[in-house]
Amino acid sequence: MPQQIKRLIIAFASIFVLFLIMQQVLKPDSFGEIGHYRSKSIQENKMRVLHYAGSESCIKCHEEIHLEKSSGFHATLKCEVCHGPSMKHVQYADQFEGGELPDSLILNKPGEREDCLICHQSHAARTKIVFDSIDNSVIKQIDNLKHNPVNKKTKEALKCIDCHYPHQP
Ligand code: HEC
Ligand code: HEC
Ligand code: HEC
Ligand code: HEC
């Protein structure tokens, strides 16, 4: 065998041995116990805090709003799309029924024009957003500057929710 090939074999063999050693040293201890991943990652993910509760969980305490929403244009929007992650609220709000909620359970109430325009603003770069799965297949878009921006008498800025009820717009 020519000498240069021998040297190459030695070089490759030592890289391979180094690889095996490094693999043993660096491999996380629970790797490979169940499959080609760290089995401890299952435990770690289970321990993560849940932030979203899902719309079904709101019905128990806010049935009226749920019914209003279900029969209107916003039927397909989930409550938490507008009100934000609500897990803590769902878990603890019933202790404060009829009273005032502590700050940590108060949810976002997105009533500014910008909040609605996230979905309803028309602009050149936005083609109509199409949802295949619902009957109202296109979100109606308005021109923010033309669509009732101010109260003609008082000249104050009108909010969308002055005219549109968000749960049944
Ligand atoms: C266990 C009962 C319960 C559940 C479940 C619940 N809420 Fe509430 N929620 C309350 C109570 C109590 C209040 C305080 C006002 C009241 O008495 O209606 C409240 C108030 C609110 C408010 C108004 C807060 C404010 O600042 O005025 C919003 C918005 C709200 N809930 C949204 C939701 C959403 C979204 C869900 C589902 C993810 C939900 N809630 C689930 C009991 C509940
Ligand atoms: C399109 C966004 C949007 C969605 C979707 C939505 N909300 Fe609201 N919600 C609002 C806004 C905006 C307000 C504040 C209204 C106001 O100040 O007049 C509000 C207010 C509330 C309030 C306070 C009481 C009231 O009637 O003003 C409760 C409770 C509430 N929402 C619960 C829900 C629940 C439960 C769902 C799902 C069934 C839901 N919301 C879905 C935007 C939304
Ligand atoms: C996450 C996206 C989203 C947000 C935020 C949102 N909407 Fe909508 N809206 C929709 C969808 C989807 C529909 C149903 C399709 C349609 O009719 O445009 C709709 C329908 C409507 C309609 C009926 C349009 C028609 O067909 O006549 C009105 C009015 C409306 N929304 C007002 C509002 C107002 C006011 C707000 C703010 C409080 C708001 N929307 C926030 C997604 C959104
Ligand atoms: C002064 C009351 C008023 C205000 C404020 C207002 N709207 Fe309207 N909106 C209406 C009326 C009335 C209609 C139905 C007649 C029409 O199509 O113009 C309408 C229609 C709509 C439609 C359906 C448009 C279509 O093509 O059928 C959408 C979407 C809408 N509004 C969203 C909004 C949003 C988002 C805001 C805030 C940025 C807003 N509106 C503010 C009164 C209002």
Side-chain angles (χ1 to χ4, degrees):
M1 193 186 289
Q3 229 181 14
Q4 66 270 35
I5 300 288
K6 274 187 200 157
R7 286 185 189 140
L8 265 180
I9 290 175
I10 292 168
F12 276 113
S14 18
I15 290 171
F16 184 64
V17 171
L18 188 67
F19 165 75
L20 290 178
I21 294 169
M22 292 306 278
Q23 195 194 26
Q24 286 309 313
V25 174
L26 297 178
K27 197 173 70 175
D29 53 355
S30 72
F31 183 86
E33 276 172 9
I34 308 176
H36 195 75
Y37 57 90
R38 287 183 308 115
S39 61
K40 275 189 186 155
S41 68
I42 301 175
Q43 241 16 64
E44 281 168 22
N45 280 308
K46 267 196 197 164
M47 278 155 58
R48 290 167 81 155
V49 181
L50 293 177
H51 296 287
Y52 287 88
S55 282
E56 288 71 30
S57 58
C58 316
I59 302 174
K60 188 173 78 166
C61 306
H62 299 292
E63 195 183 3
E64 208 176 303
I65 293 178
H66 165 72
L67 292 175
E68 286 167 345
K69 195 174 74 68
S70 313
S71 60
F73 280 108
H74 278 170
T76 49
L77 296 191
K78 304 292 182 197
C79 309
E80 288 167 303
V81 167
C82 292
H83 290 296
S86 312
M87 194 56 156
K88 269 199 190 139
H89 178 94
V90 165
Q91 285 172 335
Y92 303 111
D94 51 355
Q95 299 170 20
F96 303 92
E97 206 152 348
E100 286 212 355
L101 293 175
D103 286 355
S104 62
L105 302 186
I106 288 182
L107 301 175
N108 189 22
K109 286 193 286 182
E112 299 303 322
R113 288 181 76 87
E114 290 70 38
D115 298 324
C116 310
L117 292 169
I118 291 174
C119 295
H120 288 289
Q121 167 87 294
S122 69
H123 54 76
R126 172 184 271 176
T127 53
K128 292 195 185 316
I129 303 172
V130 177
F131 285 89
D132 295 333
S133 56
I134 56 176
D135 286 335
N136 309 319
S137 56
V138 168
I139 297 187
K140 291 264 173 66
Q141 289 161 16
I142 50 130
D143 183 339
N144 182 30
L145 300 176
K146 291 190 187 141
H147 191 79
N148 300 305
V150 289
N151 184 324
K152 291 208 175 72
K153 284 184 200 141
T154 64
K155 301 281 182 223
E156 271 178 51
L158 279 169
K159 293 181 178 179
C160 315
I161 57 173
D162 289 335
C163 302
H164 297 282
Y165 177 49
H167 301 136
Q168 209 177 45

